[in-house]
Amino acid sequence: MKVIWNDKIVDRNEVKIDMEDRGYQFADGIYDVVRAYNGKFFTLDEHVDRFFRGACQTDLELPFSKEELKERLTTLIKINQIDTGNVYFQITRGIASPRNHTYPDPEVVAPVFTASATVVPRDQEKMNRGITASIIPDTRWLHCDIKSISLLGNIMAKHEAHKNGADEAVLHRDGAVTECSSSNMWMVKDGTIYTHPDGNLILPGVTKIVLLRAAEKAGIPVKEETFTVEQLKNADEAFSSSTTIEAMPIIEIDGCPVGSGKKGPIVEKLQQYYLNEVEEQCGSLRQNV
Ligand SMILES: Cc1ncc(COP(=O)(O)O)c(C=O)c1O
């Protein structure tokens, strides 16, 4: 497998990560995940924009322009012959010794960039069947809008959900649903879609942008406002969204069915609109569906 390591494309086993890399010691870095269909990126601009925003929020000086980053990622999927798959890219603040919390001088310490690409087919069967979820307190920090490589809070929540026999953790702060451990959260009540507004408590999902557009095109009303765990449990439909799972029905929460306990008509419609947008950008997916 070929990967990017700083400005080079190398074999994965050639990459050497220093034990004093600030990503390794402090989780001092940011990342993003973008999906390719038919060998073409979907919503690459939005992912790159979020990455640059995160760099700005964390005072991390990026060693490339948006165009240069897009060129590198495009080369990566070509060289690995990725048809449908995910590209993970991250940057850390670099290798600074001795260990010190203070940011190092960017004139002296260069950031470390890595990226890899993996084939991941669409799981249409799962998108039809849906997943289960468990309600878990959101104990993460107050900068959830930054796509930080520090994901301990997220993985602890997901692990709790798995211990409860569920696929995903639906997070809440004092009873108000924020998002999931690795996706945004949505519910449907009486024909209206609800999802948490952007801000510091959730990651502004790129899939969320696409689904908001889809809902508008489909004429389905959306309220970007907070809803409670109680309201969620009485919802007609629930679903989560992310680059890798698209719009994923949540059919059961803490062992109780959501609505009919099956994928609902609104998420079904959004999935169709999402697919249309993917096909507009990347070409027909019929052979994959
Ligand atoms: C915590 C969290 N929220 C939301 C999302 C959805 O973001 P996107 O739609 O850009 O993949 C993710 C994706 O990884 C995530 O980790």
Side-chain angles (χ1 to χ4, degrees):
M1 187 217 261
K2 296 283 186 194
V3 301
I4 304 179
W5 181 30
N6 293 325
D7 49 4
K8 292 194 253 343
I9 300 245
V10 296
D11 268 334
R12 191 201 178 296
N13 54 20
E14 284 177 54
V15 176
K16 290 189 177 55
I17 299 299
D18 194 289
M19 66 186 283
E20 288 192 290
D21 188 298
R22 289 178 61 92
Y24 187 63
Q25 287 188 329
F26 292 114
D28 182 2
I30 53 165
Y31 78 104
D32 216 295
V33 178
V34 59
R35 199 143 161 74
Y37 300 91
N38 291 333
K40 294 195 190 91
F41 280 121
F42 178 59
T43 56
L44 179 60
D45 285 345
E46 289 84 345
H47 287 276
V48 165
D49 285 350
R50 183 170 65 193
F51 190 71
F52 271 67
R53 251 190 347 260
C56 204
Q57 285 167 289
T58 53
D59 287 325
L60 214 158
E61 280 181 31
L62 294 176
F64 37 60
S65 67
K66 286 184 182 177
E67 280 317 307
E68 284 164 343
L69 173 57
K70 283 188 253 178
E71 270 167 36
R72 283 183 203 179
L73 298 178
T74 305
T75 307
L76 185 70
I77 57 166
K78 287 219 173 86
I79 240 167
N80 285 295
Q81 297 179 319
I82 302 292
D83 186 56
T84 297
N86 302 337
V87 169
Y88 175 89
F89 55 104
Q90 76 164 46
I91 196 154
T92 73
R93 208 179 300 276
I95 305 156
S97 181
R99 182 178 177 277
N100 181 350
H101 285 61
T102 314
Y103 290 177
D105 181 352
E107 301 282 318
V108 180
V109 173
V112 174
F113 179 75
T114 47
S116 59
T118 320
V119 172
V120 185
R122 295 182 73 238
D123 194 342
Q124 187 64 58
E125 203 264 320
K126 194 172 183 183
M127 284 188 248
N128 288 338
R129 191 182 64 235
I131 59 169
T132 61
S134 181
I135 306 285
I136 307 285
D138 191 344
T139 57
R140 301 172 303 161
W141 67 337
L142 295 174
H143 294 292
C144 297
D145 51 330
I146 299 173
K147 206 159 165 64
S148 158
I149 59 172
S150 171
L151 290 172
L152 202 50
N154 303 58
I155 62 176
M156 284 168 71
K158 188 106 154 192
H159 181 64
E160 278 304 304
H162 279 193
K163 281 201 294 188
N164 295 343
D167 299 309
E168 178 57 298
V170 173
L171 307 177
H172 74 92
R173 291 188 194 257
D174 295 327
V177 173
T178 49
E179 58 179 343
C180 298
S181 73
S182 56
S183 51
N184 289 117
M185 184 63 198
W186 309 69
M187 70 162 213
V188 180
K189 187 69 185 173
D190 299 330
T192 297
I193 302 175
Y194 295 81
T195 193
H196 195 285
D198 285 348
N200 67 318
L201 297 183
I202 67 162
L203 186 79
V206 171
T207 316
K208 183 180 174 197
I209 300 174
V210 178
L211 291 178
L212 289 175
R213 205 155 50 218
E216 195 181 347
K217 279 192 198 160
I220 307 167
V222 179
K223 288 191 179 161
E224 277 192 88
E225 55 184 55
T226 311
F227 54 87
T228 65
V229 170
E230 236 16 73
Q231 286 170 312
L232 174 61
K233 286 186 170 167
N234 291 306
D236 301 325
E237 294 180 39
F239 57 98
S240 64
S241 69
S242 84
T243 298
T244 52
I245 60 169
E246 303 178 8
M248 180 62 73
I250 294 181
I251 54 167
E252 190 186 293
I253 296 178
D254 285 339
C256 299
V258 179
S260 67
K262 294 205 168 82
K263 170 163 110 172
I266 292 203
V267 69
E268 161 73 24
K269 198 170 249 179
L270 291 180
Q271 286 178 332
Q272 288 309 318
Y273 275 78
Y274 192 87
L275 207 54
N276 291 346
E277 189 140 341
V278 171
E279 292 193 320
E280 269 169 35
Q281 290 188 30
C282 308
S284 171
L285 292 183
R286 258 170 302 171
Q287 70 276 17
N288 302 328
V289 175

